[in-house]
Amino acid sequence: MKNTLKNEKCDFGEFRNIIIPPGYLTAINQMRKAKKTDYEMLASKLGKQWAPLIILANSRSGANLGEGLLGELRTLLNPVQVFDVTKTPPIKALQLCTLLPRYSARVLVCGGDGTVGWVLDAVDEMKIKGQEKYIPQVAILPLGTGNDLSNTLGWGTGYAGEIPVAQVLRNVMEADGIKLDRWKVQVTNKGYYNLRKPKEFTMNNYFSVGPDALMALNFHAHREKAPSLFSSRILNKAVYLFYGTRDCLVQECKDLNKKVELELDGERVDLPNLEGIIVLNIGYWGGGCRLWEGMGDETYPLARHDDGLLEVVGVYGSFHCAQIQVKLANPFRIGQAHTVRLILKCSMMPMQVDGEPWAQGPCTVTITHKTHALMLYFSGEQTDDEGSSASDPEDLKEAE
């Protein structure tokens, strides 16, 4: 075999521009031993087109579809650039970016919106460490149930193996760089003698109080009790439908307008008789519904995820949410703002940030802009999100 191959040169095939060659990492290791850090010269030998791709896959997402994906990706790429985030946390895996040329790395996150948020939190930690020049652009292969961010960025609502993994990699290679606003959600409990620090969340998708948060809260409570029963998207949607139907009858969130005060950019807003308020950063909500634009003859500008603005809407109950999702109704559009402040004056109410729900007592919720994430947008996928556009490469280098 050695005699057959000794004159052959491996060019790494179709994916040579995203593969990290074993020889590159060996040379890096030798340079580090010699206390040299001129990786740029080493990378220049691989050409200007080289944009190495790091895979961060959640093996538990998508009814364990992630496990099979990891195996396939390791056969197409160098296994050292493919990580299972359940075994290697994103912050540790992303340190591989610091061994690559500046502004060159791309990351493909295989998982739901929750996994994407975990990875973007790790990217923020890289900024804190002063590693801004090595921050990667992030693409998504949507697994699991919550994929509104993936849909907004052109990657679809869910992957179930319908296209080959090799085609997924080709799509990532063709994708364009864009910015995504990320927001800080601060929840301060009411009371002068409360010594606890305010709770802080980072929001990529949306915040809500009311019936959709209540459905998420009920769903999560039952999934924790019997996780094996929640392994398919169809069953998950059926459970959501059950809780939505039940809430139509019980109306646990009624008279929300009497329980909360809402401020947009410091201006108090008078609310009608609502049961829920939803604050949106991205175009899609509730598994594929374009909430802000709605339907019908009313013309509303497309919601953007890179304009520093939030869209705020109200819903009249679970039945209204269901009507919106099947395009039989529009939400009550409250307005757009750079800063949103919501004061819950009395009682317990369900709240959620990006699908993570909890029951909340009297408090003040303040949502302010936090930073930008560098994402990859795939325009080849059929999507309604025509308002997105690629950012200038120089802007990407200067992004926060």
Side-chain angles (χ1 to χ4, degrees):
M1 191 172 180
K2 282 183 181 178
N3 290 334
T4 307
L5 297 176
K6 65 182 179 182
N7 294 323
E8 295 287 329
K9 185 179 179 181
C10 177
D11 66 356
F12 297 104
E14 179 185 359
F15 300 116
R16 67 181 70 87
N17 288 330
I18 60 172
I19 288 174
I20 302 176
Y24 176 84
L25 293 174
T26 303
I28 290 279
N29 199 31
Q30 290 171 347
M31 289 178 75
R32 293 178 81 180
K33 285 179 181 177
K35 296 185 178 179
K36 295 178 182 178
T37 56
D38 189 11
Y39 304 152
E40 299 288 334
M41 183 187 72
L42 190 62
S44 65
K45 297 176 183 177
L46 297 170
K48 292 182 179 179
Q49 298 298 315
W50 189 50
L53 179 68
I54 297 170
I55 308 292
L56 301 180
N58 190 332
S59 59
R60 296 174 188 163
S61 290
N64 297 319
L65 182 65
E67 193 71 54
L69 273 171
L70 281 163
E72 286 192 66
L73 288 162
R74 283 172 179 146
T75 65
L76 293 168
L77 307 173
N78 185 347
V80 79
Q81 65 194 96
V82 181
F83 296 91
D84 180 350
V85 294
T86 65
K87 297 174 181 174
T88 307
I91 188 60
K92 188 174 180 182
L94 289 175
Q95 290 308 297
L96 181 55
C97 296
T98 63
L99 304 179
L100 302 172
R102 297 172 180 180
Y103 310 112
S104 70
R106 292 185 166 197
V107 165
L108 174 62
V109 181
C110 306
D113 283 351
T115 306
V116 177
W118 188 15
V119 172
L120 295 182
D121 286 343
V123 170
D124 284 346
E125 287 189 50
M126 290 179 69
K127 295 177 186 176
I128 293 169
K129 290 180 178 180
Q131 298 172 343
E132 291 92 342
K133 295 175 183 177
Y134 302 103
I135 285 173
Q137 294 172 285
V138 180
I140 306 170
L141 183 63
L143 308 178
T145 52
N147 300 308
D148 287 307
L149 178 58
S150 168
N151 202 16
T152 298
L153 299 179
W155 299 104
T157 56
Y159 177 79
E162 62 276 6
I163 63 172
V165 176
Q167 185 58 47
V168 172
L169 295 179
R170 293 183 196 108
N171 293 347
V172 174
M173 291 168 73
E174 293 173 10
D176 299 310
I178 60 162
K179 291 180 183 179
L180 170 73
D181 290 324
R182 302 191 79 212
W183 301 82
K184 181 173 77 172
V185 180
Q186 189 174 70
V187 182
T188 307
N189 290 334
K190 190 176 179 182
Y192 294 105
Y193 303 106
N194 186 1
L195 300 178
R196 292 182 187 174
K197 286 184 178 180
K199 288 188 285 188
E200 278 194 13
F201 306 86
T202 301
M203 182 184 88
N204 302 309
N205 299 2
Y206 35 72
F207 162 87
S208 71
V209 53
D212 72 322
L214 179 62
M215 283 187 277
L217 189 60
N218 287 327
F219 177 84
H220 275 252
H222 281 77
R223 185 165 65 176
E224 284 183 8
K225 288 180 184 176
S228 59
L229 298 177
F230 295 81
S231 57
S232 78
R233 288 194 186 105
I234 294 174
L235 182 59
N236 290 347
K237 288 185 177 181
V239 174
Y240 259 102
L241 178 64
F242 166 75
Y243 284 119
T245 306
R246 190 186 74 166
D247 189 48
C248 286
L249 304 173
V250 179
Q251 290 186 301
E252 290 184 39
C253 303
K254 66 180 180 179
D255 298 326
L256 180 70
N257 55 305
K258 297 176 183 176
K259 300 172 184 175
V260 305
E261 293 178 7
L262 180 67
E263 294 178 6
L264 302 186
D265 289 338
E267 295 290 326
R268 173 84 179 272
V269 178
D270 290 327
L271 298 172
N273 187 19
L274 299 172
E275 285 192 29
I277 294 170
I278 303 165
V279 182
L280 298 152
N281 178 46
I282 61 175
Y284 286 97
W285 164 87
C289 171
R290 293 213 66 117
L291 192 60
W292 177 252
E293 293 86 19
M295 41 72 71
D297 297 329
E298 298 175 81
T299 55
Y300 276 82
L302 291 173
R304 293 182 63 93
H305 45 263
D306 60 355
D307 59 358
L309 278 172
L310 294 164
E311 285 72 39
V312 186
V313 302
V315 294
Y316 298 110
S318 294
F319 185 64
H320 186 211
C321 285
Q323 286 180 308
I324 292 168
Q325 287 183 313
V326 294
K327 298 185 178 180
L328 290 176
N330 285 324
F332 175 76
R333 296 180 182 88
I334 298 171
Q336 293 177 297
H338 298 91
T339 301
V340 174
R341 191 164 176 256
L342 184 145
I343 301 167
L344 177 60
K345 296 182 286 186
C346 59
S347 77
M348 295 287 289
M349 289 293 291
M351 294 184 179
Q352 62 109 350
V353 174
D354 290 356
E356 297 297 324
W358 74 97
Q360 178 65 49
C363 68
T364 298
V365 179
T366 307
I367 306 176
T368 54
H369 193 269
K370 180 180 179 181
T371 185
H372 287 107
L374 306 182
M375 308 299 290
L376 288 167
Y377 176 82
F378 182 58
S379 55
E381 191 77 29
Q382 287 189 345
T383 175
D384 297 330
D385 200 42
E386 295 169 359
S388 300
S389 60
S391 297
D392 187 271
E394 290 302 314
D395 289 341
L396 296 175
K397 292 180 183 180
E398 293 170 7
E400 295 172 38

